[in-house]
């Protein structure tokens, strides 16, 4: 994917010195919202971030991190870490995930591509299996896209279709699973009326079945494999509506952590295990939580768990989930081709780079930052460090996560003098915010602030520059609201906790002793977004950004 060094325009910035060490800090899930008791960032002790906001008005502002600013279809689409880091690293806005799939479905191109032709070869004699998140959250998948694909696949020859659903409760309200299942069951009944053998075969909650990421817990994927491929699960039901309603009766269960189940016929046999000759599509357009199941479905030499039975299938992803691994090798919709990212540009300009996070967000400051590209641009110029995340627990149990360990690695990299850029992601406010635990999220925000302090103190020591920002909102609003902005209550009068990302803007702050006195944020880009950050960082390194990048957020005012 990389381009040659000679295709870059290498140019020093006329007013900014080169060579200062720059810390680029991304606070994951740290948006800006009105202060109230559901704004964990407001409630938490965050003296460092507070001081950045209040200290220098010309060096703190908000940028957009959702919707069209990050390549998503509408302003109702909340941002996410993948598209956010794509924009932060690429410096341009690319059509992303849902938008790509929307276009492919609306134009019919999805049925003309190599990926669909590949799975279609199974339609005459075998089953088409669709595995994915059943939700209209728009972060990993969308219900309407599944509905269109069901219709299109049946019109293009699929005679037998099985769905393997994953319930959400993270990007949408907990409990909404029942309505989604009822909706899709009606669509399947309509298909059956037309002679298509279509039904739900298995299911489970997204955080407990199939959708793990970054190889954090392979047991999650194994539970999905057992239900989807082997037709084995601890719970068996005659219908998916019955399954979801019944399993949710246990107070320990919610949509995110619903245990795996299979649907069986009147004889107790599973209605849709994956067998030799079948076609399988993973529906999600977002990559991170599909890579592990893709490896299990595609790799012959897979060794992460005992698959017991490995059917010979035709497998395609909705998109290709990892461009470097070419995984999966077949996909229905081509990904955005992100070239000439800021990371590559800076390496070609002699900027030595250090990047670090813990497992759950390591790919964001490396793979996604670099345009969905694994590995180094130049291993002699870059060092990436991954700190293992806690596994086997939910993140609210240890809300400090690895923030201080990340900060220590960053501090040491800054003080070593080996790097011109030290880039980190602090995951706390996002990962703990997703649990819906307000008290734990407050602790998480404080821990992230303490980590920022450690990094900024090191920048102070070396006379460097800092840029602190975020990739999308989450922890700043932990309650579902009505159109007036008032908290929504459930039938028992309790607040409805919001576990998803938000539509809020995110802060960006610059500073440090190495920042030239005349540098400040421009006033003529009021609707600036995450894609503007790349040119800003390039300028702070004393370089001019490529001409086709979104414009820099800073200017130099001669004193």
């Amino acid at each position: 994917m990389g381009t040659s060094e000679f295709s870059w325009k290498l140019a020093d910035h006329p007013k900014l010195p080169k060579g200062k060490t720059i810390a680029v800090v991304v606070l994951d899930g740290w948006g800006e919202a009105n202060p109230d008791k559901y704004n964990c960032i407001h409630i938490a002790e965050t003296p460092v971030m507070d001081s950045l906001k209040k200290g220098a008005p010309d060096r703190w502002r908000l940028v957009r991190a959702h919707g069209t600013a990050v390549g998503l279809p509408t302003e109702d689409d909340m941002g996410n870490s993948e598209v956010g880091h794509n924009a932060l690293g690429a410096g341009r806005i690319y059509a992303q995930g849902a938008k790509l799939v929307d276009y492919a479905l609306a134009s019919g191109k999805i049925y003309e591509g190599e990926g669909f032709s590949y799975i279609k070869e199974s339609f005459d004699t075998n089953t088409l299996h669709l595995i994915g998140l059943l939700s209209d959250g728009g972060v990993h998948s969308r219900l309407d896209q599944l509905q269109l694909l069901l219709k299109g696949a049946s019109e293009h020859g699929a005679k037998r279709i099985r769905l393997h659903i994953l319930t959400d409760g993270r990007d949408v309200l907990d409990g909404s699973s029942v309505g989604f299942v009822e909706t899709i069951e009606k669509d399947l009944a309509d298909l059956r009326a037309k002679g298509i053998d279509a039904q739900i075969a298995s299911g489970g909650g997204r955080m407990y079945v199939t959708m793990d990421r970054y190889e954090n817990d392979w047991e999650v994927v194994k539970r999905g494999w057992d239900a989807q491929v082997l037709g084995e699960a601890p719970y068996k039901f005659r219908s998916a509506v019955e399954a979801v309603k019944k399993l949710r009766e246990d107070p320990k269960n919610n949509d995110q952590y619903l245990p795996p189940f299979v649907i069986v016929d009147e004889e107790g046999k599973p209605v849709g295990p994956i067998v030799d000759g079948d076609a399988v599509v993973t529906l999600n357009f977002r990559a991170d939580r599909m890579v592990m199941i893709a490896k299990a479905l595609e790799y012959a030499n897979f060794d992460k768990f005992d698959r017991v039975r490995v059917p010979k299938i035709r497998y395609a992803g909705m998109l290709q989930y990892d461009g470097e691994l070419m995984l999966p090798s077949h996909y229905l919709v081509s990904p955005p081709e992100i070239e000439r990212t800021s990371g590559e540009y800076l390496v070609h300009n002699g900027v030595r780079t250090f990047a670090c996070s813990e497992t759950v967000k390591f790919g964001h400051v490396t793979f996604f930052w670099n345009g969905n590209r694994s590995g180094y641009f130049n291993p002699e110029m870059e060092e990436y460090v991954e700190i293992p995340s806690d596994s086997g627990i939910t993140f609210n149990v240890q809300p400090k996560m690895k923030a201080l360990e990340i900060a220590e690695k960053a501090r040491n990299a800054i003080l070593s003098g080996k790097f011109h850029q030290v880039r980190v992601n602090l995951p706390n406010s996002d990962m703990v915010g997703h649990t819906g635990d307000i008290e734990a999220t407050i602790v998480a925000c404080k821990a992230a602030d303490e980590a920022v302090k450690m990094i900024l103190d090191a920048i102070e020591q070396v006379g460097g520059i800092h840029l602190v920002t975020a990739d999308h909102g989450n922890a700043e609003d932990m309650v579902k609201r009505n159109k007036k902005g008032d908290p929504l209550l459930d039938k028992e009068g309790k607040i409805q906790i919001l576990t998803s990302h938000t539509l809020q803007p995110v802060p960006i702050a610059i500073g440090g002793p190495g920042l030239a006195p005349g540098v400040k944020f421009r006033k003529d880009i009021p609707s600036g977004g995450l894609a503007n950050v790349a040119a800003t960082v390039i300028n702070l390194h004393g370089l001019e950004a490529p001409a086709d990048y979104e414009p820099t957020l800073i200017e130099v005012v001669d004193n």
Side-chain angles (χ1 to χ4, degrees), residues 193-223:
K194 296 174 183 175
I196 309 291
D197 177 6
Q199 53 185 307
I200 293 173
S202 76
R206 59 176 284 175
M207 297 301 287
Y208 196 64
V209 178
T210 301
M211 278 177 59
D212 192 49
R213 64 177 172 188
Y214 305 142
E215 307 203 3
N216 206 42
D217 187 355
W218 278 102
E219 282 298 310
V220 173
V221 184
K222 184 181 187 302
R223 290 183 200 109

Side-chain angles (χ1 to χ4, degrees), residues 39-340:
N39 182 337
C40 293
I41 294 167
H42 165 67
I43 299 169
E45 290 178 44
T46 57
V48 178
M49 291 301 292
D50 291 347
S51 69
L52 293 181
K53 182 176 180 178
K54 296 167 186 171
D58 288 339
R59 293 182 172 181
W60 184 94
R61 64 162 289 174
L62 297 173
V63 289
R64 295 168 64 233
H66 77 286
T68 56
V70 289
L72 296 169
T74 75
E75 298 313 315
D76 293 327
D77 291 313
M78 63 186 84
N80 65 62
S81 298
E82 287 63 46
V83 300
H85 286 79
N86 273 172
L88 286 165
R92 288 145 292 157
I93 300 168
Y94 285 84
Q96 287 286 354
K99 212 170 186 177
L100 293 169
V101 177
D102 284 343
Y103 173 74
L105 285 165
S107 65
K109 285 189 179 298
I110 196 167
Y111 307 113
E112 300 164 8
E114 179 275 335
F116 193 82
S117 297
Y118 174 67
I119 62 165
K120 189 177 177 181
E121 291 182 41
S122 295
F123 288 1
D124 278 347
T125 54
N126 283 78
T127 303
L128 168 63
H129 298 265
L130 305 175
I131 303 172
L133 188 67
L134 186 67
S135 164
D136 65 3
V139 176
H140 293 269
S141 66
R142 278 216 325 268
L143 177 64
D144 61 323
Q145 293 180 347
L146 168 57
Q147 292 171 307
L148 287 170
L149 187 61
L150 278 171
K151 181 176 182 288
S154 62
E155 289 172 352
H156 285 81
K159 299 180 179 68
R160 191 171 190 271
I161 301 172
R162 293 292 181 267
L163 294 191
H164 303 270
I165 61 169
L166 304 167
T167 52
D168 191 351
R170 186 178 176 99
D171 300 325
V172 293
L173 275 182
D174 182 50
S176 56
S177 58
V178 177
F180 294 137
V181 175
E182 288 173 340
T183 297
I184 207 69
E185 283 282 30
K186 182 181 182 303
D187 292 340
L188 296 173
D190 291 345
L191 285 177
R192 289 195 293 273
K194 296 174 183 175
I196 309 291
D197 177 6
Q199 53 185 307
I200 293 173
S202 76
R206 59 176 284 175
M207 297 301 287
Y208 196 64
V209 178
T210 301
M211 278 177 59
D212 192 49
R213 64 177 172 188
Y214 305 142
E215 307 203 3
N216 206 42
D217 187 355
W218 278 102
E219 282 298 310
V220 173
V221 184
K222 184 181 187 302
R223 290 183 200 109
W225 181 274
D226 290 350
Q228 296 148 7
V229 178
L230 306 181
E232 296 174 1
Y235 297 96
K236 296 176 181 178
F237 295 93
R238 290 297 308 278
S239 84
V241 175
E242 178 197 6
V244 174
K245 285 181 176 179
K246 200 77 179 167
L247 291 172
R248 281 185 53 82
E249 288 176 4
D250 186 330
K252 298 195 299 290
N253 292 340
N254 58 28
D255 285 353
Q256 292 192 58
Y257 287 93
L258 214 62
F261 61 86
V262 295
I263 305 304
V264 296
D265 62 19
E266 59 275 6
E267 295 174 359
K269 293 179 181 176
V271 300
I274 299 169
V275 300
D276 284 352
D278 285 352
V280 179
V281 172
T282 41
L283 291 167
N284 294 17
F285 45 71
R286 178 164 148 178
D288 58 344
R289 293 189 182 276
M290 286 287 101
V291 168
M292 292 168 71
I293 183 62
K295 288 179 177 178
L297 288 166
E298 181 140 316
Y299 286 174
N301 58 350
F302 180 86
D303 61 0
K304 302 301 181 181
F305 59 81
D306 182 4
R307 292 181 290 184
V308 182
R309 179 171 62 78
V310 186
K312 295 181 175 66
I313 59 171
R314 296 180 179 276
Y315 166 54
M318 181 66 87
L319 292 147
Q320 185 166 63
Y321 300 127
D322 189 326
E324 190 74 7
L325 295 174
M326 309 298 281
L327 182 77
S329 52
H330 300 276
Y331 42 91
L332 303 188
V333 181
S334 295
E337 295 180 8
I338 302 177
E339 296 183 320
R340 301 182 302 108

